[in-house]
């Protein structure tokens, strides 16, 4: 299942060689995960323990298994687009501290910043 715009997400992310693995921001990788050379892992991905990742993973997907398969998205399409535009991982420490309570509720974060980061 590909959301419009995410197919292009990886098209400009070519690695210098086929042995590189590109890992996005805010990614959680469980124990004993195997990443096959040349793959790209989008922002916000969760990879379950023991998974074998053989292909690119789109942003904010949860994947598990051998081979790893997406079981669901962490957020709705609109929330994912918002987070990709917000790029909170590039904010300074002061911004993070001021917004720490909003990280536990995407709706609060979106409410606060939706005018700045229109989807």
């Amino acid at each position: 299942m590909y959301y419009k715009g995410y197919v292009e997400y990886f098209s400009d992310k070519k690695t210098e060689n086929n042995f590189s693995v590109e890992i996005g921001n805010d990614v959680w990788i469980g124990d004993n995960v195997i990443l096959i050379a040349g793959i790209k892992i989008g922002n916000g991905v969760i990879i379950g323990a023991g998974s074998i990742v053989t292909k690119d993973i789109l942003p904010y997907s949860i994947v598990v298994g051998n081979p790893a398969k997406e079981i669901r998205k962490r957020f709705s399409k609109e929330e994912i687009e918002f987070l990709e535009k917000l790029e909170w991982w590039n904010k300074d420490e002061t911004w993070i501290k001021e917004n720490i309570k909003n990280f536990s509720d995407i709706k609060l974060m979106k409410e606060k910043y939706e005018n700045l980061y229109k989807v």
Side-chain angles (χ1 to χ4, degrees):
M1 167 166 68
Y2 285 57
Y3 292 124
K4 183 179 180 195
Y6 287 132
V7 172
E8 291 83 29
Y9 176 83
F10 292 111
S11 64
D12 65 342
K13 307 281 185 187
K14 303 295 181 204
T15 57
E16 291 180 23
N17 61 52
N18 290 335
F19 301 107
S20 298
V21 172
E22 191 171 312
I23 300 174
N25 300 288
D26 192 26
V27 172
W28 184 85
I29 301 174
D31 284 342
N32 300 314
V33 167
I34 297 172
L35 305 174
I36 301 302
I39 63 165
K40 298 165 191 77
I41 299 170
N43 294 320
V45 167
I46 295 175
I47 303 173
S51 296
I52 299 178
V53 181
T54 60
K55 59 185 179 180
D56 295 347
I57 304 173
L58 294 173
Y60 294 94
S61 298
I62 300 173
V63 300
V64 296
N66 176 13
K69 300 240 186 268
E70 182 181 307
I71 57 172
R72 70 179 181 94
K73 294 285 187 193
R74 291 179 58 194
F75 302 105
S76 72
K77 176 184 172 188
E78 293 77 23
E79 291 167 339
I80 291 170
E81 289 172 356
F82 167 75
L83 288 168
E84 290 284 276
K85 288 181 181 176
L86 179 64
E87 293 184 345
W88 67 265
W89 48 86
N90 290 326
K91 306 296 186 200
D92 63 25
E93 188 176 342
T94 303
W95 189 93
I96 300 289
K97 286 179 180 177
E98 289 171 358
N99 289 280
I100 196 74
K101 65 179 174 264
N102 297 328
F103 279 87
S104 63
D105 187 345
I106 184 72
K107 290 176 185 18
L108 286 176
M109 184 74 82
K110 198 171 174 209
E111 240 177 61
K112 186 170 182 178
Y113 291 103
E114 67 186 342
N115 292 329
L116 295 174
Y117 302 96
K118 284 280 186 203
V119 176

